[in-house]
Amino acid sequence: MTDLPKHIAVIMDGNGRWARQRGLPRSAGHQAGVKATRKIVEHCVRLQTEALTIYAFSSENWRRPEKEVNFLMELFIKAIGSELNKLHENNIRVQFIGELTKFPDGLLHEIKLATEKTAQNTGLRLNIAVNYGGRNELTNAMVQIAAKVEAGELSSKSITEDVILQHSWLPDCPEPDLFVRTGGEQRLSNYLLWHIAYTELSFTDTLWPDFDGDELDKLIEQYTQRQRRFGQTGEQVQASE
Ligand code: IPE
Ligand code: IPE
Ligand code: MG
């Protein structure tokens, strides 16, 4: 049996379809999605999960209708504002990963506030991926590394996987053990490309607003039944357990 996952990465997908099934606008689906997110965060606190990384807005989501993008920005501002005290009381350390510069000032303000207020917390690490793209993250890392090489601060020979990780947006988190995507699609959508190289993947048809702690428990239970081999044989892994 594999231990409980220390780091869970989630693609919260299916808000739009959830709303459509109910004859509601997509915005109602996103609102319901915030409630589901709150429940899952609380559940991970109970489980004493070390880190939870959630995909809130991808670098590709700017392609959505302007009305939806604007609604999402407002929703993020409101959600961070209204949840912050509770997150802080729960000893959660909130961080944001992604290219943050493109956001409206109101959102940047909430992001800064949440990050600073919770920086010293020692409980669940909640990483919220906004304007996040895995390729963008790696490109950024490469640009930073190249600049250091140019400046003579780093030699090209000393570029290791760890150096790349240190220039990523998740330099000090354990790698995700479990990846969950709700909403039925079986794709990565540019999420955490570097970090999920050896993550166990789990997909469920449940739409994000319907996803809850019980279902997460089931996926975790399935995860614990898997044997993680990291290139070794099953016998080797068994012998070392
Ligand atoms: C995920 O739900 C939320 C965001 C991408 C912000 P979707 O909005 O992608 O929902 P579907 O996939 O259209 O159902
Ligand atoms: C991925 O979901 C991004 C988020 C959940 C924030 P999408 O619904 O945007 O992904 P695609 O476009 O279907 O791949
Ligand atoms: Mg979607």
Side-chain angles (χ1 to χ4, degrees):
M1 279 248 300
T2 300
D3 293 338
L4 291 182
K6 289 190 177 70
H7 183 176
I8 303 173
V10 182
I11 298 187
M12 313 183 288
D13 196 19
N15 295 349
R17 280 163 284 164
W18 182 92
R20 202 170 66 193
Q21 284 174 0
R22 286 162 179 75
L24 299 168
R26 292 179 61 84
S27 55
H30 294 313
Q31 263 159 341
V34 172
K35 286 193 194 150
T37 308
R38 184 188 303 133
K39 278 196 249 160
I40 292 303
V41 170
E42 285 168 2
H43 196 73
C44 285
V45 170
R46 278 194 295 276
L47 291 174
Q48 297 188 315
T49 310
E50 225 173 285
L52 172 68
T53 301
I54 53 177
Y55 210 178
F57 194 85
S58 76
S59 49
E60 287 72 33
N61 284 146
W62 298 106
R63 295 181 184 156
R64 293 193 177 195
E66 199 183 330
K67 204 172 129 219
E68 179 165 345
V69 170
N70 290 341
F71 179 85
L72 284 168
M73 295 299 140
E74 285 301 317
L75 185 65
F76 295 151
I77 294 172
K78 276 190 225 139
I80 301 168
S82 65
E83 301 296 322
L84 183 54
N85 282 336
K86 192 121 178 270
L87 292 166
H88 187 52
E89 279 164 23
N90 277 312
N91 196 22
I92 296 170
R93 177 170 157 202
V94 187
Q95 280 183 309
F96 293 82
I97 58 169
E99 182 99 51
L100 302 181
T101 46
K102 240 182 137 177
F103 289 120
D105 286 346
L107 182 53
L108 289 177
H109 178 72
E110 293 297 335
I111 286 176
K112 188 165 178 276
L113 219 64
T115 309
E116 286 174 1
K117 188 177 169 98
T118 64
Q120 306 305 324
N121 290 346
T122 54
L124 175 72
R125 291 188 56 169
L126 176 63
N127 306 310
I128 307 177
V130 281
N131 191 19
Y132 174 89
R135 287 180 177 170
N136 190 6
E137 178 182 31
L138 286 174
T139 306
N140 265 291
M142 287 180 206
V143 169
Q144 284 180 60
I145 292 168
K148 287 188 184 171
V149 172
E150 253 172 20
E153 291 166 25
L154 193 70
S155 84
S156 62
K157 286 197 187 69
S158 56
I159 301 170
T160 58
E161 290 184 7
D162 191 53
V163 169
I164 294 172
L165 178 67
Q166 290 315 315
H167 289 83
S168 78
W169 288 323
L170 282 175
D172 56 357
C173 241
E175 268 175 34
D177 300 297
L178 173 63
F179 161 101
V180 173
R181 181 172 189 146
T182 63
E185 313 298 346
Q186 302 202 355
R187 56 175 169 256
L188 298 179
S189 302
N190 203 9
Y191 196 40
L192 300 177
L193 298 180
W194 178 270
H195 310 281
I196 57 175
Y198 249 110
T199 301
E200 297 295 328
L201 307 181
S202 185
F203 299 92
T204 168
D205 289 335
T206 305
L207 303 172
W208 180 250
D210 292 328
F211 191 73
D212 60 14
D214 285 346
E215 195 167 354
L216 180 60
D217 282 344
K218 279 187 205 132
L219 299 181
I220 291 176
E221 165 68 20
Q222 287 165 13
Y223 163 89
T224 63
Q225 305 300 321
R226 298 186 190 183
Q227 186 188 48
R228 303 187 74 188
R229 291 193 280 273
F230 297 100
Q232 290 187 308
T233 67
E235 290 72 21
Q236 282 177 300
V237 174
Q238 253 170 347
S240 66
E241 271 168 6

